[in-house]
Amino acid sequence: MSDLVEAVPSAPGTGVPVQVRPGLWAVSLPLPGPPHRVTVYVLETEAGPYLVDAGWDTDQAWQALGEGLAGLGTRVEEIQGVLVTHAHLDHYGLAPRIREASGAWVALHPLDAEELPGYRVDPAERLVELLRGAGAPDSAIESAAAELGRASGHRLAGPDVLLGDGRRPDVPGWDLTTVWTPGHTPGHLCFWEPRHRLLLAGDHALPRTAVIMHEPRGPQDDPLGDYLGSLDRLEQLRPDEVLPAHEHRYTDLSGRLDRLRGYHADRLAATVALLGEGPATAWELAGRQRARGNLDGLRGYPLHATVTRTLAQLAHLRTRGLAEERPGPPPHWALTAAARIRPQPGERCPAVGG
């Protein structure tokens, strides 16, 4: 996650069910690191409970899930299905374990199902590959990966149901429709419930934090552009309440989307300004965007997030014809002639827009 952070209200403890609507509950589960908790939503039906997201596969999260369900008069063994918003381990991790205990089906978007093998790789390996592609020096790569030598997704098994855009999952008594919202991951899903005008939003539009995008997969991939387009799709729904997987529920989706668009426009403009000083690697640009001017002291996930954010910005600028990647080693980024036509004072960077 990145650094657009707003005020946060207090939250109940993990494993405590909180009613959202009749038959719909929120249960907070612990995470082994920041953001420290994830919210699983429980949909009650005559057949048994269904979940939206599952939590990280730890004994602490498993216990909290059991406690939350017990507070509702049910248990893990009675779960009928798990609708997973995306493949990150804090959302998908417990889903196979729930399936083993209950026989429930697990659903995920096809693009995120393809991502699961990547989570069976040690996090250090993924970080090393990312940093090399960003042009990090060998000394920085060795020290940065030292804290990420544990594998946390080796037990992941694939989903039973693949949910594309506009699908209606079989959850008795609930009118859910999938809304494909790529950006944070290639196959991120939100779930829209029009009768209650609720949006179960996963990580797509958190109330306090601007999430990072997934790593660009190639020269045609533009996760930030996909994300900005997905914001426009959500704008059309006009929910009464947004139910995110982290932080807290909120009502003003339109206002939040405006703030997210402004944040990304400002960050893109800052990247264009830095490239205006001359070609640079993604590693160098990521450091220059920090207050201290470098990436010294960052390790593990915070470093991964910072570099990935810059790579997503550069990929979006490339898609808009404003930046180009020049072969290395290491590869460098530079402005194109089109990007040197600067906006007038008060205008947004041309990287954001229709």
Side-chain angles (χ1 to χ4, degrees):
M1 297 182 186
S2 66
D3 54 4
L4 176 57
V5 178
E6 300 175 2
V8 59
S10 60
T14 58
V16 178
V18 176
Q19 189 173 50
V20 179
R21 295 288 190 281
L24 174 59
W25 300 81
V27 178
S28 180
L29 305 185
L31 297 176
H36 301 298
R37 58 176 60 194
V38 62
T39 300
V40 170
Y41 293 96
V42 183
L43 298 161
E44 294 181 319
T45 77
E46 294 182 355
Y50 290 73
L51 303 186
V52 176
D53 285 329
W56 198 295
D57 187 6
T58 66
D59 290 340
Q60 293 82 2
W62 182 256
Q63 179 179 346
L65 177 62
E67 292 170 354
L69 292 172
L72 302 177
T74 186
R75 55 199 181 103
V76 171
E77 289 77 6
E78 297 180 16
I79 294 173
Q80 302 297 303
V82 185
L83 301 159
V84 185
T85 59
H86 61 293
H88 287 170
L89 296 179
D90 55 329
H91 298 257
Y92 190 89
L94 269 180
R97 190 170 173 180
I98 293 169
R99 177 173 53 199
E100 291 174 7
S102 65
W105 49 257
V106 175
L108 190 67
H109 190 280
L111 291 177
D112 269 25
E114 295 176 5
E115 295 286 299
L116 288 176
Y119 296 104
R120 302 186 188 112
V121 176
D122 283 344
E125 294 182 29
R126 300 184 69 186
L127 181 59
V128 166
E129 182 179 359
L130 174 79
L131 296 183
R132 283 179 177 158
D138 290 341
S139 58
I141 293 174
E142 293 172 4
S143 61
E147 298 179 14
L148 281 178
R150 63 183 180 86
S152 55
H154 280 180
R155 294 192 298 172
L156 283 182
D160 308 290
V161 179
L162 298 177
L163 292 176
D165 187 42
R167 292 284 299 276
R168 300 183 66 183
D170 185 13
V171 181
W174 294 90
D175 186 17
L176 296 176
T177 300
T178 60
V179 184
W180 180 39
T181 49
H184 184 51
T185 66
H188 189 286
L189 289 173
C190 296
F191 297 96
W192 170 237
E193 218 293 355
R195 289 188 301 193
H196 297 281
R197 303 208 62 78
L198 296 175
L199 179 68
L200 295 110
D203 282 3
H204 190 68
L206 301 183
R208 300 178 55 236
T209 308
V211 297
I212 64 167
M213 305 302 110
H214 70 81
E215 303 160 22
R217 301 296 193 261
Q220 305 304 315
D221 197 10
D222 180 12
L224 179 53
D226 292 340
Y227 179 81
L228 295 170
S230 298
L231 296 184
D232 294 340
R233 291 197 67 193
L234 294 189
E235 185 94 58
Q236 302 170 15
L237 298 177
R238 302 186 183 281
D240 290 342
E241 191 170 18
V242 180
L243 281 53
H246 301 285
E247 301 172 353
H248 58 89
R249 308 195 305 272
Y250 64 101
T251 57
D252 184 13
L253 176 63
S254 180
R256 181 58 181 160
L257 298 185
D258 284 344
R259 291 192 293 276
L260 287 168
R261 292 187 188 100
Y263 167 79
H264 287 293
D266 290 343
R267 296 304 297 253
L268 286 163
T271 303
V272 169
L274 289 171
L275 284 174
E277 300 171 3
T281 65
W283 171 266
E284 293 166 338
L285 290 166
R288 292 175 190 170
Q289 292 196 45
R290 299 183 73 215
R292 65 191 304 171
N294 57 59
L295 296 172
D296 292 350
L298 280 186
R299 298 288 186 272
Y301 175 77
L303 178 63
H304 186 286
T306 300
V307 174
T308 300
R309 179 180 60 202
T310 298
L311 288 169
Q313 292 167 354
L314 291 168
H316 186 60
L317 293 173
R318 174 173 55 194
T319 299
R320 298 303 306 273
L322 301 174
E324 58 186 3
E325 187 177 18
R326 297 176 178 176
H332 283 66
W333 290 81
L335 291 182
T336 63
R340 297 184 184 280
I341 304 174
R342 297 303 182 95
Q344 296 299 313
E347 292 181 349
R348 291 290 189 192
C349 167
V352 176

